[in-house]
Amino acid sequence: MAKPTPLSGFPELLPAQRYVEQQVIATLAHTFELHGFANIETRAVEPLDQLLRKGDTSKEVYVLRRLQAAEDGSASDRDKGIGLHFDLTVPFARFVLENAGKLEFPFRRYQIQKVWRGERPQEGRFREFTQADIDIVGRDTLPFHHDVEVARVMLEALGKLAHPDSIGLPGFRLQVNNRKLIQGFYAGLGVSGDGIDEVMRLVDKLDKLPADKVRELLLAEAGVSEEQADKALALATIKAVDDSFVQRVRDLGVSHELLDEGLDELATLVRACAPLATDRARIEADLSIARGLDYYTGTVFETRLDGYESLGSICSGGRYDALASDGRTTYPGVGISLGLSRLLVTLVQRGALTADRSVPSVVLVAVTDEESRADADEIATALRARAISCEVAPTAAKFGKQIRHAERRGIPYVWFRQADGTSEVKDIRSGNQVAADPATWQPPTEDLRPQVITIDEGESK
């Protein structure tokens, strides 16, 4: 068989890299569950009419069909009309509608799962990737304090991922805004109707275009006056790590009832998150953030990774007052989605993040000769019974070769059974070798499982 050609946009991780991903997932899941979020997993496919409700996604959906599907119409319409989900929000909305009678509202869920999106692969963007979502959904109403809660939960999770004694990821900046604030501000400027959405869409381009170019677009495409364009851009320059942004907005001389509501909500959220903020997981009110999807109705989130700003937002979401509706009941929600693959694949591919060994094994049990392999297996069984991961040497080679085999796999200890039935264990990093009993020997806690290490200017933590 010829050497296969890698598929662009479908990243695969080596064992040490996969361990990092598993640790990140475990940290996220533990944090979410501490806050009472229940885990769900939805099917990989959804009906195309659901996936294509947003026209701008039509080119990104992977359609699913059987290779031998009949072309004479004998295949069922359902089989011919399904595609792989491109995010976790669409399947979650369907899940809520299908199971509303079995769920207790407000329903709190987290979901860590693969999604597929047919876009051009580049750094941080893939065709198959993993997302981690949390959402709180209500029935007909959902109080604003849940917006605050979602922000606090994700800020806490990001703080754990960035802590040097945990995963040690680079720092995060959770940027927050409120669509009511910006819509109310534009309305107070005299922009009306569809013009508000157009101004919001254009201002959201500030992370990709210079301000003077966005100003030109506002004048040409949104049809606003020069004064309106200048004040819209002035609003977008306001950033603060506390509620001082409120007065800065007031100083622009614009008033509107919806603006007041948005200012109050955003200030409340920022103040509530401040106690959880650290130097590696920060909260920031950024009034340029709007989010492109039109179903957001209040709080909006974006997140930047320190030193990797070129990736754009790696964690986004917001408030939506109509996640789903069955015609009688509406289900409002607030949620945020962390792009795990966007975050991790970039870091591991650049060599900034890995694990100190590629296998879970703490011990390699040496084999003196093939006749004694059963004795080695017995020792390994005793160690495993005490939750110490180990493996038995694949061959009865010279002990030097068995030690080198352990070194290549990153296994820190080699176990030797003596002729008299006693045992010794050797720490091959230090060379220290001591007597040991498989029923009582215990390695240091930090050796029990691989450790995530971050690489910074040639040094590891």
Side-chain angles (χ1 to χ4, degrees):
M1 178 180 176
K3 183 178 180 179
T5 301
L7 282 176
S8 177
F10 295 85
E12 293 180 321
L13 302 179
L14 294 172
Q17 299 167 344
R18 171 61 176 159
Y19 180 79
V20 174
E21 183 181 54
Q22 288 177 312
Q23 291 304 107
V24 169
I25 290 173
T27 300
L28 291 171
H30 178 66
T31 305
F32 299 157
E33 290 177 4
L34 282 176
H35 290 266
F37 286 78
N39 182 233
I40 68 168
E41 180 172 299
T42 55
R43 65 198 186 206
V45 298
E46 296 293 334
L48 286 178
D49 60 349
Q50 296 296 312
L51 294 173
L52 301 180
R53 284 185 302 170
K54 300 290 183 183
D56 57 351
T57 64
S58 60
K59 294 181 180 179
E60 299 179 356
V61 173
Y62 282 107
V63 176
L64 196 67
R65 68 176 181 84
R66 292 185 296 114
L67 181 62
Q68 300 298 328
E71 298 183 2
D72 60 1
S74 60
S76 72
D77 290 338
R78 181 175 294 276
D79 286 342
K80 290 190 296 184
I82 56 177
L84 295 171
H85 58 226
F86 58 85
D87 69 4
L88 298 179
T89 301
V90 170
F92 178 52
R94 187 264 310 158
F95 181 91
V96 169
L97 285 177
E98 287 188 6
N99 297 282
K102 305 171 187 175
L103 302 175
E104 185 67 28
F105 292 95
F107 176 52
R108 310 150 68 84
R109 85 80 159 90
Y110 79 90
Q111 193 170 347
I112 303 174
Q113 202 170 329
K114 293 275 192 184
V115 300
W116 296 266
R117 191 171 296 174
E119 60 182 356
R120 183 174 66 85
Q122 54 187 294
E123 186 176 57
R125 290 187 178 275
F126 310 102
R127 292 169 174 165
E128 178 183 67
F129 53 99
T130 302
Q131 290 188 182
D133 286 22
I134 56 172
D135 285 86
I136 302 176
V137 177
R139 177 183 278 140
D140 290 326
T141 62
L142 186 70
F144 170 74
H145 67 77
H146 291 298
D147 294 39
V148 175
E149 183 177 10
V150 164
R152 284 174 57 89
V153 172
M154 187 55 77
L155 189 62
E156 180 180 327
L158 296 177
K160 290 179 180 178
L161 294 180
H163 197 284
D165 294 333
S166 179
I167 306 299
L169 297 184
F172 297 86
R173 186 171 78 257
L174 179 61
Q175 301 165 297
V176 294
N177 198 4
N178 194 294
R179 294 280 280 258
K180 296 176 184 177
L181 188 162
I182 48 183
Q183 289 173 324
F185 186 87
Y186 299 157
L189 284 176
V191 182
S192 60
D194 293 339
I196 291 178
D197 291 339
E198 183 65 7
V199 171
M200 191 158 48
R201 182 186 69 83
L202 294 172
V203 171
D204 197 40
K205 295 179 178 290
L206 280 171
D207 63 339
K208 301 180 182 69
L209 299 174
D212 57 350
K213 179 60 177 177
V214 174
R215 186 178 188 275
E216 291 177 10
L217 293 174
L218 287 169
L219 297 175
E221 298 182 14
V224 299
S225 67
E226 292 190 359
E227 180 183 3
Q228 289 171 327
D230 290 338
K231 287 205 171 183
L233 291 172
L235 178 74
T237 64
I238 296 176
K239 296 178 174 61
V241 296
D242 54 27
D243 62 4
S244 61
F245 67 88
V246 175
Q247 187 57 50
R248 293 172 64 186
V249 174
R250 297 294 188 203
D251 290 343
L252 295 176
V254 177
S255 60
H256 192 275
E257 182 179 354
L258 190 60
L259 170 62
D260 295 340
E261 186 177 344
L263 281 170
D264 181 64
E265 288 186 354
L266 186 57
T268 298
L269 188 148
V270 171
R271 287 193 295 265
C273 289
L276 295 176
T278 68
D279 60 341
R280 297 176 69 87
R282 308 179 301 282
I283 185 79
E284 178 185 64
D286 185 335
L287 305 196
S288 69
I289 303 298
R291 302 293 297 138
L293 297 177
D294 58 13
Y295 56 69
Y296 291 122
T297 55
T299 304
V300 286
F301 307 101
E302 287 192 354
T303 309
R304 299 299 193 274
L305 185 66
D306 294 346
Y308 297 84
E309 286 79 8
S310 62
L311 290 177
S313 179
I314 51 91
C315 180
S316 307
R319 172 76 176 224
Y320 33 82
D321 285 330
L323 168 72
S325 176
D326 60 9
R328 300 182 306 275
T329 304
T330 298
Y331 299 92
V334 58
I336 189 166
S337 175
L338 174 62
L340 272 183
S341 297
R342 171 174 261 190
L343 168 65
L344 292 178
V345 173
T346 300
L347 292 174
V348 299
Q349 286 182 341
R350 291 192 186 185
L353 200 64
T354 188
D356 62 356
R357 63 181 190 257
S358 60
V359 296
S361 304
V362 184
V363 178
L364 177 76
V365 182
V367 178
T368 305
D369 50 49
E370 288 303 327
E371 288 71 24
S372 65
R373 181 171 290 277
D375 295 330
D377 287 337
E378 183 178 352
I379 292 170
T381 298
L383 291 171
R384 291 173 189 139
R386 299 176 45 245
I388 298 174
S389 299
C390 62
E391 55 189 83
V392 176
T395 64
K398 292 182 179 180
F399 283 158
K401 288 186 177 181
Q402 294 187 52
I403 290 172
R404 286 194 293 275
H405 174 74
E407 286 177 331
R408 287 193 297 270
R409 293 174 65 74
I411 301 173
Y413 297 94
V414 177
W415 192 284
F416 301 98
R417 186 179 185 276
Q418 309 299 309
D420 61 1
T422 62
S423 293
E424 293 186 356
V425 65
K426 179 181 182 115
D427 184 336
I428 63 176
R429 299 162 299 185
S430 66
N432 187 39
Q433 185 165 323
V434 298
D437 183 341
T440 59
W441 178 80
Q442 186 73 24
T445 301
E446 61 270 21
D447 287 337
L448 275 174
R449 55 190 53 84
Q451 299 294 306
V452 176
I453 56 174
T454 56
I455 310 300
D456 182 16
E457 298 180 358
E459 298 182 356
S460 63
K461 79 171 180 66

